[in-house]
PDB file of all heavy atoms in Angstrom:
ATOM      1  N   SER A 246      43.325 102.459  82.868  1.00  0.00           N
ATOM      2  CA  SER A 246      42.003 103.019  82.716  1.00  0.00           C
ATOM      3  C   SER A 246      41.131 102.684  83.897  1.00  0.00           C
ATOM      4  O   SER A 246      40.346 103.508  84.401  1.00  0.00           O
ATOM      5  CB  SER A 246      41.334 102.470  81.458  1.00  0.00           C
ATOM      6  OG  SER A 246      41.258 101.080  81.462  1.00  0.00           O
ATOM      7  N   ILE A 247      41.302 101.426  84.458  1.00  0.00           N
ATOM      8  CA  ILE A 247      40.496 101.082  85.672  1.00  0.00           C
ATOM      9  C   ILE A 247      41.002 101.852  86.841  1.00  0.00           C
ATOM     10  O   ILE A 247      40.153 102.356  87.658  1.00  0.00           O
ATOM     11  CB  ILE A 247      40.663  99.552  85.920  1.00  0.00           C
ATOM     12  CG1 ILE A 247      40.008  98.771  84.795  1.00  0.00           C
ATOM     13  CG2 ILE A 247      40.021  99.196  87.251  1.00  0.00           C
ATOM     14  CD1 ILE A 247      38.558  98.965  84.619  1.00  0.00           C
ATOM     15  N   MET A 248      42.301 102.043  87.027  1.00  0.00           N
ATOM     16  CA  MET A 248      42.816 102.805  88.146  1.00  0.00           C
ATOM     17  C   MET A 248      42.371 104.248  88.105  1.00  0.00           C
ATOM     18  O   MET A 248      41.998 104.832  89.073  1.00  0.00           O
ATOM     19  CB  MET A 248      44.326 102.699  88.212  1.00  0.00           C
ATOM     20  CG  MET A 248      44.878 101.357  88.658  1.00  0.00           C
ATOM     21  SD  MET A 248      44.260 100.810  90.243  1.00  0.00           S
ATOM     22  CE  MET A 248      44.751 102.210  91.312  1.00  0.00           C
ATOM     23  N   ILE A 249      42.354 104.801  86.895  1.00  0.00           N
ATOM     24  CA  ILE A 249      41.896 106.192  86.739  1.00  0.00           C
ATOM     25  C   ILE A 249      40.441 106.318  87.102  1.00  0.00           C
ATOM     26  O   ILE A 249      40.021 107.240  87.790  1.00  0.00           O
ATOM     27  CB  ILE A 249      42.138 106.678  85.289  1.00  0.00           C
ATOM     28  CG1 ILE A 249      43.655 106.882  85.024  1.00  0.00           C
ATOM     29  CG2 ILE A 249      41.410 107.985  85.019  1.00  0.00           C
ATOM     30  CD1 ILE A 249      44.028 107.094  83.594  1.00  0.00           C
ATOM     31  N   ALA A 250      39.650 105.328  86.677  1.00  0.00           N
ATOM     32  CA  ALA A 250      38.226 105.371  87.007  1.00  0.00           C
ATOM     33  C   ALA A 250      37.976 105.244  88.514  1.00  0.00           C
ATOM     34  O   ALA A 250      37.097 105.960  89.020  1.00  0.00           O
ATOM     35  CB  ALA A 250      37.509 104.241  86.231  1.00  0.00           C
ATOM     36  N   VAL A 251      38.745 104.349  89.179  1.00  0.00           N
ATOM     37  CA  VAL A 251      38.561 104.158  90.606  1.00  0.00           C
ATOM     38  C   VAL A 251      38.922 105.486  91.374  1.00  0.00           C
ATOM     39  O   VAL A 251      38.184 105.873  92.286  1.00  0.00           O
ATOM     40  CB  VAL A 251      39.429 103.012  91.075  1.00  0.00           C
ATOM     41  CG1 VAL A 251      39.459 102.954  92.627  1.00  0.00           C
ATOM     42  CG2 VAL A 251      38.909 101.677  90.574  1.00  0.00           C
ATOM     43  N   VAL A 252      40.035 106.089  90.983  1.00  0.00           N
ATOM     44  CA  VAL A 252      40.418 107.316  91.677  1.00  0.00           C
ATOM     45  C   VAL A 252      39.438 108.419  91.403  1.00  0.00           C
ATOM     46  O   VAL A 252      39.001 109.199  92.328  1.00  0.00           O
ATOM     47  CB  VAL A 252      41.848 107.765  91.189  1.00  0.00           C
ATOM     48  CG1 VAL A 252      42.211 109.171  91.741  1.00  0.00           C
ATOM     49  CG2 VAL A 252      42.905 106.764  91.592  1.00  0.00           C
ATOM     50  N   PHE A 253      38.958 108.496  90.171  1.00  0.00           N
ATOM     51  CA  PHE A 253      37.922 109.525  89.845  1.00  0.00           C
ATOM     52  C   PHE A 253      36.637 109.285  90.631  1.00  0.00           C
ATOM     53  O   PHE A 253      36.085 110.241  91.216  1.00  0.00           O
ATOM     54  CB  PHE A 253      37.641 109.456  88.338  1.00  0.00           C
ATOM     55  CG  PHE A 253      36.424 110.272  87.927  1.00  0.00           C
ATOM     56  CD1 PHE A 253      36.531 111.675  87.924  1.00  0.00           C
ATOM     57  CD2 PHE A 253      35.271 109.702  87.541  1.00  0.00           C
ATOM     58  CE1 PHE A 253      35.436 112.464  87.532  1.00  0.00           C
ATOM     59  CE2 PHE A 253      34.134 110.477  87.161  1.00  0.00           C
ATOM     60  CZ  PHE A 253      34.276 111.834  87.181  1.00  0.00           C
ATOM     61  N   LEU A 254      36.189 108.051  90.721  1.00  0.00           N
ATOM     62  CA  LEU A 254      34.976 107.739  91.455  1.00  0.00           C
ATOM     63  C   LEU A 254      35.169 107.922  92.946  1.00  0.00           C
ATOM     64  O   LEU A 254      34.220 108.271  93.677  1.00  0.00           O
ATOM     65  CB  LEU A 254      34.531 106.319  91.182  1.00  0.00           C
ATOM     66  CG  LEU A 254      33.895 106.103  89.802  1.00  0.00           C
ATOM     67  CD1 LEU A 254      33.702 104.622  89.539  1.00  0.00           C
ATOM     68  CD2 LEU A 254      32.649 106.857  89.632  1.00  0.00           C
ATOM     69  N   TYR A 255      36.437 107.782  93.463  1.00  0.00           N
ATOM     70  CA  TYR A 255      36.696 108.069  94.853  1.00  0.00           C
ATOM     71  C   TYR A 255      36.503 109.575  95.128  1.00  0.00           C
ATOM     72  O   TYR A 255      35.908 109.955  96.124  1.00  0.00           O
ATOM     73  CB  TYR A 255      38.118 107.640  95.198  1.00  0.00           C
ATOM     74  CG  TYR A 255      38.473 107.942  96.655  1.00  0.00           C
ATOM     75  CD1 TYR A 255      38.007 107.169  97.693  1.00  0.00           C
ATOM     76  CD2 TYR A 255      39.267 109.027  96.950  1.00  0.00           C
ATOM     77  CE1 TYR A 255      38.305 107.433  99.021  1.00  0.00           C
ATOM     78  CE2 TYR A 255      39.616 109.329  98.233  1.00  0.00           C
ATOM     79  CZ  TYR A 255      39.140 108.555  99.307  1.00  0.00           C
ATOM     80  OH  TYR A 255      39.440 108.834 100.609  1.00  0.00           O
ATOM     81  N   ILE A 256      37.005 110.377  94.277  1.00  0.00           N
ATOM     82  CA  ILE A 256      36.862 111.811  94.398  1.00  0.00           C
ATOM     83  C   ILE A 256      35.381 112.208  94.400  1.00  0.00           C
ATOM     84  O   ILE A 256      34.885 112.987  95.202  1.00  0.00           O
ATOM     85  CB  ILE A 256      37.628 112.614  93.292  1.00  0.00           C
ATOM     86  CG1 ILE A 256      39.144 112.345  93.440  1.00  0.00           C
ATOM     87  CG2 ILE A 256      37.318 114.099  93.308  1.00  0.00           C
ATOM     88  CD1 ILE A 256      39.930 112.871  92.230  1.00  0.00           C
ATOM     89  N   ILE A 257      34.655 111.643  93.444  1.00  0.00           N
ATOM     90  CA  ILE A 257      33.185 111.894  93.299  1.00  0.00           C
ATOM     91  C   ILE A 257      32.480 111.424  94.557  1.00  0.00           C
ATOM     92  O   ILE A 257      31.583 112.094  95.021  1.00  0.00           O
ATOM     93  CB  ILE A 257      32.665 111.161  92.021  1.00  0.00           C
ATOM     94  CG1 ILE A 257      33.250 111.745  90.749  1.00  0.00           C
ATOM     95  CG2 ILE A 257      31.164 111.249  92.020  1.00  0.00           C
ATOM     96  CD1 ILE A 257      32.974 113.229  90.565  1.00  0.00           C
ATOM     97  N   SER A 258      32.862 110.249  95.104  1.00  0.00           N
ATOM     98  CA  SER A 258      32.198 109.724  96.289  1.00  0.00           C
ATOM     99  C   SER A 258      32.436 110.615  97.522  1.00  0.00           C
ATOM    100  O   SER A 258      31.546 110.820  98.343  1.00  0.00           O
ATOM    101  CB  SER A 258      32.717 108.310  96.546  1.00  0.00           C
ATOM    102  OG  SER A 258      32.431 107.451  95.467  1.00  0.00           O
ATOM    103  N   VAL A 259      33.694 111.092  97.666  1.00  0.00           N
ATOM    104  CA  VAL A 259      33.959 112.001  98.821  1.00  0.00           C
ATOM    105  C   VAL A 259      33.021 113.205  98.727  1.00  0.00           C
ATOM    106  O   VAL A 259      32.414 113.628  99.734  1.00  0.00           O
ATOM    107  CB  VAL A 259      35.439 112.437  98.800  1.00  0.00           C
ATOM    108  CG1 VAL A 259      35.656 113.580  99.754  1.00  0.00           C
ATOM    109  CG2 VAL A 259      36.353 111.251  99.184  1.00  0.00           C
ATOM    110  N   ILE A 260      32.930 113.802  97.550  1.00  0.00           N
ATOM    111  CA  ILE A 260      32.059 114.989  97.404  1.00  0.00           C
ATOM    112  C   ILE A 260      30.620 114.673  97.606  1.00  0.00           C
ATOM    113  O   ILE A 260      29.895 115.447  98.254  1.00  0.00           O
ATOM    114  CB  ILE A 260      32.288 115.612  96.004  1.00  0.00           C
ATOM    115  CG1 ILE A 260      33.740 116.051  95.820  1.00  0.00           C
ATOM    116  CG2 ILE A 260      31.342 116.775  95.725  1.00  0.00           C
ATOM    117  CD1 ILE A 260      34.173 116.457  94.454  1.00  0.00           C
ATOM    118  N   PHE A 261      30.207 113.501  97.124  1.00  0.00           N
ATOM    119  CA  PHE A 261      28.756 113.087  97.309  1.00  0.00           C
ATOM    120  C   PHE A 261      28.407 112.947  98.797  1.00  0.00           C
ATOM    121  O   PHE A 261      27.402 113.416  99.265  1.00  0.00           O
ATOM    122  CB  PHE A 261      28.556 111.777  96.559  1.00  0.00           C
ATOM    123  CG  PHE A 261      27.206 111.139  96.877  1.00  0.00           C
ATOM    124  CD1 PHE A 261      26.043 111.626  96.255  1.00  0.00           C
ATOM    125  CD2 PHE A 261      27.076 110.053  97.750  1.00  0.00           C
ATOM    126  CE1 PHE A 261      24.820 111.054  96.520  1.00  0.00           C
ATOM    127  CE2 PHE A 261      25.886 109.491  97.991  1.00  0.00           C
ATOM    128  CZ  PHE A 261      24.766 109.976  97.395  1.00  0.00           C
ATOM    129  N   ILE A 262      29.304 112.243  99.531  1.00  0.00           N
ATOM    130  CA  ILE A 262      29.042 112.068 100.966  1.00  0.00           C
ATOM    131  C   ILE A 262      29.115 113.412 101.716  1.00  0.00           C
ATOM    132  O   ILE A 262      28.272 113.647 102.618  1.00  0.00           O
ATOM    133  CB  ILE A 262      30.050 111.048 101.570  1.00  0.00           C
ATOM    134  CG1 ILE A 262      29.910 109.706 100.935  1.00  0.00           C
ATOM    135  CG2 ILE A 262      29.901 110.975 103.086  1.00  0.00           C
ATOM    136  CD1 ILE A 262      30.963 108.705 101.317  1.00  0.00           C
ATOM    137  N   LEU A 263      30.015 114.233 101.354  1.00  0.00           N
ATOM    138  CA  LEU A 263      30.051 115.573 101.962  1.00  0.00           C
ATOM    139  C   LEU A 263      28.805 116.397 101.719  1.00  0.00           C
ATOM    140  O   LEU A 263      28.366 117.203 102.576  1.00  0.00           O
ATOM    141  CB  LEU A 263      31.281 116.362 101.444  1.00  0.00           C
ATOM    142  CG  LEU A 263      32.637 115.934 102.087  1.00  0.00           C
ATOM    143  CD1 LEU A 263      33.789 116.653 101.392  1.00  0.00           C
ATOM    144  CD2 LEU A 263      32.648 116.292 103.573  1.00  0.00           C
ATOM    145  N   GLY A 264      28.211 116.167 100.531  1.00  0.00           N
ATOM    146  CA  GLY A 264      26.887 116.815 100.279  1.00  0.00           C
ATOM    147  C   GLY A 264      25.847 116.408 101.307  1.00  0.00           C
ATOM    148  O   GLY A 264      25.075 117.244 101.782  1.00  0.00           O
ATOM    149  N   GLY A 265      25.779 115.087 101.557  1.00  0.00           N
ATOM    150  CA  GLY A 265      24.840 114.620 102.631  1.00  0.00           C
ATOM    151  C   GLY A 265      25.216 115.175 103.972  1.00  0.00           C
ATOM    152  O   GLY A 265      24.315 115.542 104.751  1.00  0.00           O
TER     153      GLY A 265
END
Side-chain angles (χ1 to χ4, degrees):
S246 59
I247 295 298
M248 289 303 304
I249 289 171
V251 169
V252 174
F253 171 71
L254 287 173
Y255 178 77
I256 295 170
I257 295 300
S258 298
V259 168
I260 296 169
F261 172 77
I262 296 173
L263 282 173

